[in-house]
PDB file of all heavy atoms in Angstrom:
ATOM      1  N   ILE G  99      51.110 230.617 167.202  1.00  0.00           N
ATOM      2  CA  ILE G  99      51.035 231.019 168.617  1.00  0.00           C
ATOM      3  C   ILE G  99      52.408 231.334 169.203  1.00  0.00           C
ATOM      4  O   ILE G  99      52.566 232.218 170.043  1.00  0.00           O
ATOM      5  CB  ILE G  99      50.374 229.888 169.452  1.00  0.00           C
ATOM      6  CG1 ILE G  99      48.999 229.530 168.888  1.00  0.00           C
ATOM      7  CG2 ILE G  99      50.310 230.236 170.917  1.00  0.00           C
ATOM      8  CD1 ILE G  99      48.004 230.652 168.896  1.00  0.00           C
ATOM      9  N   ALA G 100      53.425 230.632 168.743  1.00  0.00           N
ATOM     10  CA  ALA G 100      54.773 230.739 169.314  1.00  0.00           C
ATOM     11  C   ALA G 100      55.322 232.165 169.397  1.00  0.00           C
ATOM     12  O   ALA G 100      55.943 232.518 170.402  1.00  0.00           O
ATOM     13  CB  ALA G 100      55.727 229.830 168.544  1.00  0.00           C
ATOM     14  N   PRO G 101      55.117 233.038 168.396  1.00  0.00           N
ATOM     15  CA  PRO G 101      55.703 234.372 168.512  1.00  0.00           C
ATOM     16  C   PRO G 101      55.133 235.178 169.673  1.00  0.00           C
ATOM     17  O   PRO G 101      55.823 235.998 170.276  1.00  0.00           O
ATOM     18  CB  PRO G 101      55.394 235.062 167.187  1.00  0.00           C
ATOM     19  CG  PRO G 101      54.636 234.112 166.373  1.00  0.00           C
ATOM     20  CD  PRO G 101      54.481 232.824 167.110  1.00  0.00           C
ATOM     21  N   LEU G 102      53.887 234.951 169.994  1.00  0.00           N
ATOM     22  CA  LEU G 102      53.283 235.671 171.118  1.00  0.00           C
ATOM     23  C   LEU G 102      53.906 235.236 172.443  1.00  0.00           C
ATOM     24  O   LEU G 102      54.175 236.059 173.319  1.00  0.00           O
ATOM     25  CB  LEU G 102      51.769 235.445 171.143  1.00  0.00           C
ATOM     26  CG  LEU G 102      51.015 235.939 169.905  1.00  0.00           C
ATOM     27  CD1 LEU G 102      49.550 235.534 169.993  1.00  0.00           C
ATOM     28  CD2 LEU G 102      51.166 237.427 169.733  1.00  0.00           C
ATOM     29  N   LEU G 103      54.161 233.950 172.568  1.00  0.00           N
ATOM     30  CA  LEU G 103      54.783 233.426 173.777  1.00  0.00           C
ATOM     31  C   LEU G 103      56.233 233.910 173.904  1.00  0.00           C
ATOM     32  O   LEU G 103      56.688 234.287 174.984  1.00  0.00           O
ATOM     33  CB  LEU G 103      54.740 231.895 173.781  1.00  0.00           C
ATOM     34  CG  LEU G 103      53.354 231.252 173.736  1.00  0.00           C
ATOM     35  CD1 LEU G 103      53.468 229.743 173.590  1.00  0.00           C
ATOM     36  CD2 LEU G 103      52.556 231.622 174.971  1.00  0.00           C
ATOM     37  N   ALA G 104      56.942 233.912 172.792  1.00  0.00           N
ATOM     38  CA  ALA G 104      58.352 234.299 172.805  1.00  0.00           C
ATOM     39  C   ALA G 104      58.549 235.787 173.095  1.00  0.00           C
ATOM     40  O   ALA G 104      59.561 236.186 173.672  1.00  0.00           O
ATOM     41  CB  ALA G 104      58.989 233.939 171.471  1.00  0.00           C
ATOM     42  N   ALA G 105      57.578 236.611 172.745  1.00  0.00           N
ATOM     43  CA  ALA G 105      57.720 238.068 172.876  1.00  0.00           C
ATOM     44  C   ALA G 105      57.664 238.561 174.317  1.00  0.00           C
ATOM     45  O   ALA G 105      58.249 239.594 174.648  1.00  0.00           O
ATOM     46  CB  ALA G 105      56.645 238.763 172.050  1.00  0.00           C
ATOM     47  N   VAL G 106      56.988 237.859 175.174  1.00  0.00           N
ATOM     48  CA  VAL G 106      56.756 238.335 176.542  1.00  0.00           C
ATOM     49  C   VAL G 106      58.042 238.584 177.321  1.00  0.00           C
ATOM     50  O   VAL G 106      58.167 239.582 178.024  1.00  0.00           O
ATOM     51  CB  VAL G 106      55.844 237.332 177.298  1.00  0.00           C
ATOM     52  CG1 VAL G 106      55.724 237.691 178.751  1.00  0.00           C
ATOM     53  CG2 VAL G 106      54.476 237.276 176.639  1.00  0.00           C
ATOM     54  N   VAL G 107      59.015 237.729 177.159  1.00  0.00           N
ATOM     55  CA  VAL G 107      60.244 237.798 177.957  1.00  0.00           C
ATOM     56  C   VAL G 107      61.057 239.069 177.695  1.00  0.00           C
ATOM     57  O   VAL G 107      61.669 239.611 178.607  1.00  0.00           O
ATOM     58  CB  VAL G 107      61.107 236.550 177.692  1.00  0.00           C
ATOM     59  CG1 VAL G 107      62.422 236.618 178.427  1.00  0.00           C
ATOM     60  CG2 VAL G 107      60.330 235.299 178.077  1.00  0.00           C
ATOM     61  N   ALA G 108      61.063 239.573 176.481  1.00  0.00           N
ATOM     62  CA  ALA G 108      61.956 240.672 176.106  1.00  0.00           C
ATOM     63  C   ALA G 108      61.405 242.064 176.384  1.00  0.00           C
ATOM     64  O   ALA G 108      62.132 243.044 176.273  1.00  0.00           O
ATOM     65  CB  ALA G 108      62.319 240.540 174.634  1.00  0.00           C
ATOM     66  N   ILE G 109      60.163 242.195 176.773  1.00  0.00           N
ATOM     67  CA  ILE G 109      59.517 243.506 176.901  1.00  0.00           C
ATOM     68  C   ILE G 109      60.254 244.463 177.840  1.00  0.00           C
ATOM     69  O   ILE G 109      60.499 245.612 177.460  1.00  0.00           O
ATOM     70  CB  ILE G 109      58.033 243.342 177.285  1.00  0.00           C
ATOM     71  CG1 ILE G 109      57.274 242.709 176.127  1.00  0.00           C
ATOM     72  CG2 ILE G 109      57.414 244.682 177.663  1.00  0.00           C
ATOM     73  CD1 ILE G 109      55.890 242.242 176.466  1.00  0.00           C
ATOM     74  N   PRO G 110      60.628 244.091 179.044  1.00  0.00           N
ATOM     75  CA  PRO G 110      61.290 245.068 179.938  1.00  0.00           C
ATOM     76  C   PRO G 110      62.610 245.607 179.373  1.00  0.00           C
ATOM     77  O   PRO G 110      62.913 246.791 179.518  1.00  0.00           O
ATOM     78  CB  PRO G 110      61.553 244.281 181.222  1.00  0.00           C
ATOM     79  CG  PRO G 110      60.668 243.090 181.159  1.00  0.00           C
ATOM     80  CD  PRO G 110      60.422 242.808 179.712  1.00  0.00           C
ATOM     81  N   PHE G 111      63.374 244.767 178.714  1.00  0.00           N
ATOM     82  CA  PHE G 111      64.644 245.203 178.131  1.00  0.00           C
ATOM     83  C   PHE G 111      64.405 246.209 177.008  1.00  0.00           C
ATOM     84  O   PHE G 111      65.144 247.182 176.866  1.00  0.00           O
ATOM     85  CB  PHE G 111      65.432 243.997 177.608  1.00  0.00           C
ATOM     86  CG  PHE G 111      65.751 243.002 178.675  1.00  0.00           C
ATOM     87  CD1 PHE G 111      65.026 241.824 178.780  1.00  0.00           C
ATOM     88  CD2 PHE G 111      66.756 243.246 179.597  1.00  0.00           C
ATOM     89  CE1 PHE G 111      65.308 240.907 179.777  1.00  0.00           C
ATOM     90  CE2 PHE G 111      67.060 242.332 180.595  1.00  0.00           C
ATOM     91  CZ  PHE G 111      66.321 241.158 180.686  1.00  0.00           C
ATOM     92  N   THR G 112      63.380 245.966 176.216  1.00  0.00           N
ATOM     93  CA  THR G 112      63.054 246.865 175.114  1.00  0.00           C
ATOM     94  C   THR G 112      62.701 248.256 175.639  1.00  0.00           C
ATOM     95  O   THR G 112      63.129 249.265 175.078  1.00  0.00           O
ATOM     96  CB  THR G 112      61.886 246.293 174.286  1.00  0.00           C
ATOM     97  OG1 THR G 112      62.217 244.967 173.877  1.00  0.00           O
ATOM     98  CG2 THR G 112      61.602 247.132 173.067  1.00  0.00           C
ATOM     99  N   PHE G 113      61.933 248.331 176.717  1.00  0.00           N
ATOM    100  CA  PHE G 113      61.561 249.626 177.301  1.00  0.00           C
ATOM    101  C   PHE G 113      62.793 250.409 177.732  1.00  0.00           C
ATOM    102  O   PHE G 113      62.929 251.595 177.425  1.00  0.00           O
ATOM    103  CB  PHE G 113      60.613 249.447 178.494  1.00  0.00           C
ATOM    104  CG  PHE G 113      60.323 250.741 179.203  1.00  0.00           C
ATOM    105  CD1 PHE G 113      59.398 251.629 178.689  1.00  0.00           C
ATOM    106  CD2 PHE G 113      61.002 251.080 180.358  1.00  0.00           C
ATOM    107  CE1 PHE G 113      59.144 252.835 179.322  1.00  0.00           C
ATOM    108  CE2 PHE G 113      60.756 252.285 181.009  1.00  0.00           C
ATOM    109  CZ  PHE G 113      59.816 253.165 180.482  1.00  0.00           C
ATOM    110  N   ILE G 114      63.686 249.766 178.447  1.00  0.00           N
ATOM    111  CA  ILE G 114      64.869 250.447 178.981  1.00  0.00           C
ATOM    112  C   ILE G 114      65.721 251.019 177.850  1.00  0.00           C
ATOM    113  O   ILE G 114      66.133 252.179 177.878  1.00  0.00           O
ATOM    114  CB  ILE G 114      65.685 249.495 179.875  1.00  0.00           C
ATOM    115  CG1 ILE G 114      64.902 249.192 181.158  1.00  0.00           C
ATOM    116  CG2 ILE G 114      67.054 250.072 180.200  1.00  0.00           C
ATOM    117  CD1 ILE G 114      65.423 248.026 181.960  1.00  0.00           C
TER     118      ILE G 114
END
Side-chain angles (χ1 to χ4, degrees):
I99 304 299
L102 299 174
L103 300 174
V106 173
V107 176
I109 292 168
F111 300 103
T112 306
F113 174 79
I114 291 166

